């Protein structure tokens, strides 16, 4: 009997070990060592601050963190997640890993992108850096789609606040040449198949979030640079179908950001966008778990994603 107990114990331990390995989140660097584009090596260190939210600053090594749903309910769809933080930090769990786990519950792979933030110390053309990392991230996911049980034609993106600006930049400028290819991964398409923009920064004009604009473009950017990163101006027939959410009382990022994008999707794009405006909600509400009237946005997102057809 004692032998049987020990044997059973070992089987349980081995099973738990295997399960742990299978379910463990994968963290993968975007770039091979020493080949990060537009990167100046300095003594600057990446900072992680954990209070009620995990805030990451001074990102030095951009990564993706991969959360895969259980195979039994996997839909084959995936979404890359771009947390916000005004281009000064990343609200990494609040608008990142929490979102990935939510998506997993609905059979969607959630991939959190820890992208570099604009920096005058570690970059030259700092305004190009978030897009550089975003393009690489979606190409990397597409290169691993088969390994992760993902349909390479059903890879979307979701971004919050300044992360929504990163996402909308990728969605409208996925084919912009912002770095030299370094390997076969860079031969793959960087076009998202669909995108969700949650209280996003879209324009760099009058209705922008001033903090994000300053961090990304500097103190006195030229009109050309402002237009280059006002993403509603870059919508065309190839812009992916888009889901937008904004609160009317958002004091940080005016609702007009989402309205500009939605409006031009109907004229310059294929008209394939859905905009949900909420009377109250403010800014930075993420999944809005404590706000019954507002948390419905996430249910609408899942329904919207599930209705999309693969190209």
């Amino acid at each position: 009997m004692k032998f049987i107990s020990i044997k059973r114990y070992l089987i349980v331990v081995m099973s738990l070990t295997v399960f742990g390995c299978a379910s463990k989140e994968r963290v993968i660097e975007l770039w091979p060592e020493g080949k990060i584009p537009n990167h100046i090596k300095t003594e600057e260190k990446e900072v992680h601050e954990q209070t009620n939210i995990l805030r990451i600053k001074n990102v030095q090594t951009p990564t993706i963190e991969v959360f895969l749903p259980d195979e039994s309910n996997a839909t084959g769809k995936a979404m890359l997640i771009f947390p916000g933080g005004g281009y000064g930090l990343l609200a990494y769990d609040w608008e990142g890993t929490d979102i990935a786990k939510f998506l997993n519950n609905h059979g969607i792979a959630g991939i959190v992108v820890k992208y570099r933030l604009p920096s005058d110390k570690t970059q030259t053309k700092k305004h190009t850096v978030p897009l550089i990392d975003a393009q690489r991230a979606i190409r990397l996911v597409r290169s691993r789609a088969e390994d992760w049980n993902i349909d390479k034609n059903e890879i979307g993106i979701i971004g919050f606040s300044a992360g929504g600006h990163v996402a909308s930049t990728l969605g409208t400028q996925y084919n912009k040449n912002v770095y030299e290819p370094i390997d076969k991964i860079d031969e793959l398409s960087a076009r998202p198949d669909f995108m969700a923009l949650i209280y996003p920064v879209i324009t760099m004009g009058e209705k922008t979030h001033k903090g994000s604009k300053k961090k990304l473009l500097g103190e006195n950017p030229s009109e050309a640079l402002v237009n280059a990163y006002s993403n509603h101006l870059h919508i065309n027939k190839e812009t992916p179908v888009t889901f937008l959410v904004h609160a009317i009382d958002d004091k940080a990022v005016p609702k007009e950001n989402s309205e500009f994008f939605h409006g031009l999707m109907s004229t310059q794009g294929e008209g394939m966008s859905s905009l949900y405006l909420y009377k109250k909600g403010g800014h930075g509400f993420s999944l809005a778990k404590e706000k019954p009237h507002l948390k419905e946005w996430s249910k609408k997102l899942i329904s919207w994603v599930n209705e999309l057809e693969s190209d």
Side-chain angles (χ1 to χ4, degrees), residues 42 68 73 118 146 188 203 222 280:
T42 68
L68 300 177
N73 75 325
E146 186 174 349
L188 300 175
T203 181
S222 66
K280 293 184 179 180

Side-chain angles (χ1 to χ4, degrees), residues 49-55 90-95 97-98 284:
E49 297 176 347
Q50 180 70 68
T51 53
N52 58 324
I53 295 175
L54 173 58
R55 295 172 172 85
L90 302 179
Y92 193 77
D93 49 3
W94 184 245
E95 294 172 345
T97 56
D98 287 358

Side-chain angles (χ1 to χ4, degrees), residues 99-111:
I99 306 302
K101 293 168 186 176
F102 166 77
L103 293 173
N104 279 184
N105 289 337
H106 296 276
I108 302 168
I111 298 149

Side-chain angles (χ1 to χ4, degrees), residues 191-207:
R191 181 185 182 275
D193 295 295
F194 54 95
M195 63 178 168
L197 307 175
I198 316 303
Y199 42 87
V201 178
I202 296 293
T203 181
M204 287 287 129
E206 183 181 351
K207 292 292 184 176

Side-chain angles (χ1 to χ4, degrees), residues 24 80 87 105 120 135 149 178-180 190 201 205 219 266 294:
K24 184 178 180 181
L80 282 76
Y87 279 127
N105 289 337
D120 292 315
Q135 286 186 359
N149 195 27
V178 286
Y179 70 95
E180 292 298 322
V201 178
E219 287 281 0
S266 67
L294 195 55

Side-chain angles (χ1 to χ4, degrees), residues 164-190:
H165 189 263
V166 180
S168 63
T169 306
L170 178 61
T172 57
Q173 304 189 55
Y174 55 85
N175 57 359
K176 187 174 183 179
N177 183 16
V178 286
Y179 70 95
E180 292 298 322
I182 63 170
D183 54 27
K184 288 191 173 296
I185 291 173
D186 290 325
E187 296 175 5
L188 300 175
S189 172

